[in-house]
Amino acid sequence: MSEGQKPLATQTDEQLIAAYQRGAEEAFDLIVARYKHPLTNFVFRFVGDYDDCDDIVQETFVRVFRNKHSYTPQAKFSTWIYTIASNLAKSRLRQRERHRLFSLSSLWTSEGEEKESEIPDLRYAADRDADSAVKHERIQNALNSISAKYREVVVLRDIQEFSYEEIAKITGLNLGTVKSRIKRGRTMLQKLLKDIIDD
Amino acid sequence: MSDTTNHEEEREPVRKILRSLPEVKASDDFELQLQRRLAHEGESKSLWSILFTPKRIPAFALSLMAAVTAGVVVYYTVLRTGMVPEAGVPKHEVSVQGKEKEQPTAPQQSAPAPSSRVSQGQGQKREASGAAASQGSVRKTQTTASPSSTESAQDELSKQGVLKEVGGAGTPSTRIKSRSTRPTDMPEVPFLRAVPHTTIEKEYDSAAVADSAKRDSIKRLERQKK
């Protein structure tokens, strides 16, 4: 059975995108179905806000839709789509940081008053156990508190389970930098989550 | 996704904690929202791409080219055509007669005075029709003088450096003549329109001084011969 005769659902990501480049619109729908949850998980753990995460993942697929011909089979499709998502997430973080710096509301925040929350919205979390929810919230808060450059690589490695080489391609960093940042990020998280780790 | 974790990394506590986090999933209406977004993207793109999508021409290259073109145009239209030579105008070109103005600046000793070549009769007639009365006797004297005496007088004067002030060929007669006929002769040398009259006057003043010195020396020589 040739590639073209195999049902699209059984084809690899690279075959799907090739089919989509040839004009098979249903291949794009399959790509969306395959990647929407993993991308949402990655972007949410990286950005820390669900609404932003939803918007970023949709924008990622819009970019794939618009620039399908810019993908070449030299790289893995997952590397390509995660690169787009990562870049969009970083842009959103920078935008958020600029808004936070110039935000007037931060000037009037006093002790006891709620600040602009960085606690992620976990209303779509699968696990609804209260203790687990609190624990997961703490882990996410710890992730949010470390620098974005460490957070990105730690999430890609320890949550998305990419290889060091793939992370280097996604982030555009060299292998040594990727490894050192992952190590540094884990060290920071270990300090923040010491009580959870000890449990 | 390939998994190339080593065993040490598997025992990493932070890794275990992070892997215990639940997977955050996309919303139920994710694909519906995406379809709406793609439909909107298709509609707006045509208008946007027609009006605002820039062509793939670097803006910097265009502006640089425009600046270079403007500079070249300004240079050729304004600076080059507007150029007026101010300094270094050879003084010998101030003289009126067309022949003399083409001659390069030459010391008096190398060029024999034109008046010396003129026969006595012709010289008197031509030069008598000229300018000021104070200098008429000079002309007459010059025409009667022998070529050799005139040349030697000129040599003497050039040694003194008097004639150098005037600079260039041209007999006193032509200089005097040009004083009176200068306005009509001026257009022959176009760039001289910009030369102020005072400058020319100064040149003729020094020429008059040289003339008188020359006359005196010639008289002296004639007396000696007699």
Side-chain angles (χ1 to χ4, degrees):
Chain A
M1 206 184 225
S2 65
E3 265 184 34
Q5 290 173 349
K6 268 197 294 186
L8 286 175
T10 59
Q11 291 185 11
T12 64
D13 296 339
E14 288 73 25
Q15 287 168 343
L16 275 178
I17 189 70
Y20 179 48
Q21 285 173 339
R22 285 193 300 269
E25 296 293 330
E26 59 273 20
F28 179 73
D29 296 335
L30 279 168
I31 288 169
V32 171
R34 280 190 193 181
Y35 279 92
K36 64 178 181 180
H37 297 312
L39 279 177
T40 302
N41 189 47
F42 161 65
V43 174
F44 175 76
R45 297 299 175 197
F46 184 27
V47 169
D49 179 79
Y50 193 82
D51 291 329
D52 280 349
C53 153
D54 207 41
D55 185 51
I56 290 165
V57 175
Q58 289 197 5
E59 183 60 30
T60 303
F61 286 115
V62 168
R63 299 279 176 108
V64 169
F65 175 83
R66 211 191 290 164
N67 305 309
K68 59 185 176 186
H69 293 292
S70 66
Y71 169 76
T72 54
Q74 292 161 0
K76 285 179 72 174
F77 177 76
S78 59
T79 307
W80 186 62
I81 200 169
Y82 269 85
T83 305
I84 296 169
S86 173
N87 290 337
L88 287 169
K90 281 185 262 193
S91 298
R92 185 60 61 92
L93 286 175
R94 280 194 294 269
Q95 212 172 41
R96 197 195 284 174
E97 185 60 31
R98 275 198 299 270
H99 177 74
R100 191 185 68 81
L101 283 171
F102 294 107
S103 171
L104 290 174
S105 63
S106 63
L107 297 173
W108 283 281
T109 307
S110 60
E111 199 175 331
E113 203 174 329
E114 266 194 9
K115 292 181 185 180
E116 192 176 346
S117 178
E118 289 180 1
I119 297 169
D121 187 352
L122 292 175
R123 59 197 155 103
Y124 290 99
D127 192 343
R128 299 199 181 271
D129 183 15
D131 291 337
S132 299
V134 169
K135 183 181 168 185
H136 297 153
E137 196 172 326
R138 279 201 60 202
I139 294 167
Q140 186 59 46
N141 286 345
L143 267 173
N144 292 343
S145 62
I146 65 172
S147 173
K149 62 181 181 181
Y150 302 120
R151 192 185 327 135
E152 182 189 15
V153 291
V154 166
V155 168
L156 284 169
R157 180 66 181 163
D158 295 334
I159 297 177
Q160 301 300 118
E161 297 185 359
F162 277 104
S163 67
Y164 288 114
E165 291 77 17
E166 285 168 330
I167 295 170
K169 284 178 188 173
I170 291 167
T171 57
L173 302 167
N174 61 49
L175 208 58
T177 308
V178 167
K179 288 181 180 177
S180 68
R181 283 191 184 181
I182 289 172
K183 194 176 176 184
R184 189 91 188 267
R186 284 176 184 164
T187 307
M188 289 176 177
L189 285 170
Q190 198 164 354
K191 286 180 187 173
L192 292 166
L193 301 169
K194 195 181 174 201
D195 53 340
I196 296 176
I197 292 167
D198 292 340
D199 289 343
Chain B
M1 300 159 215
S2 62
D3 185 2
T4 57
T5 56
N6 53 32
H7 295 294
E8 284 183 6
E9 205 170 29
E10 283 293 328
R11 290 197 288 270
E12 178 68 44
V14 170
R15 186 177 168 82
K16 284 182 186 174
I17 287 169
L18 292 174
R19 285 175 83 178
S20 70
L21 286 170
E23 187 188 22
V24 176
K25 295 188 178 180
S27 57
D28 295 334
D29 60 347
F30 179 87
E31 285 172 2
L32 186 65
Q33 287 179 21
L34 179 61
Q35 290 297 330
R36 280 192 207 139
R37 203 161 173 164
L38 291 171
H40 180 68
E41 178 81 12
E43 284 168 8
S44 62
K45 190 188 173 187
S46 60
L47 182 66
W48 188 259
S49 62
I50 290 164
L51 293 174
F52 298 111
T53 302
K55 301 293 180 186
R56 294 193 176 207
I57 299 169
F60 176 72
L62 268 177
S63 56
L64 188 65
M65 204 166 69
V68 167
T69 307
V72 166
V73 165
V74 165
Y75 176 73
Y76 280 106
T77 56
V78 177
L79 295 176
R80 282 194 75 174
T81 56
M83 268 192 220
V84 175
E86 293 174 358
V89 175
K91 288 180 183 176
H92 73 278
E93 292 183 357
V94 173
S95 64
V96 176
Q97 292 184 2
K99 292 176 190 175
E100 287 165 0
K101 79 183 172 195
E102 289 171 2
Q103 288 174 5
T105 307
Q108 284 294 321
Q109 60 264 33
S110 60
S115 60
S116 63
R117 293 182 196 145
V118 178
S119 64
Q120 289 181 5
Q122 285 180 5
Q124 279 177 352
K125 280 181 188 173
R126 198 199 309 152
E127 290 167 352
S129 65
S134 59
Q135 292 173 351
S137 58
V138 175
R139 279 183 245 129
K140 285 177 188 174
T141 311
Q142 278 188 320
T143 51
T144 53
S146 61
S148 60
S149 65
T150 310
E151 282 176 1
S152 61
Q154 285 177 354
D155 287 342
E156 212 180 295
L157 286 169
S158 66
K159 281 177 193 172
Q160 291 169 13
V162 174
L163 284 176
K164 279 180 189 173
E165 288 178 9
V166 179
T171 59
S173 61
T174 56
R175 280 188 227 117
I176 291 162
K177 193 177 177 183
S178 62
R179 187 176 281 173
S180 60
T181 59
R182 184 186 36 176
T184 47
D185 289 328
M186 283 294 285
E188 288 180 10
V189 185
F191 60 82
L192 283 175
R193 282 176 214 153
V195 180
H197 289 289
T198 51
T199 311
I200 296 165
E201 286 295 332
K202 282 181 188 172
E203 288 173 354
Y204 279 92
D205 286 340
S206 59
V209 169
D211 289 344
S212 62
K214 198 177 173 184
R215 266 182 264 135
D216 290 338
S217 64
I218 291 165
K219 280 180 187 174
R220 255 188 266 120
L221 286 167
E222 285 174 353
R223 279 180 212 143
Q224 284 172 7
K225 281 184 183 174
K226 285 176 183 175

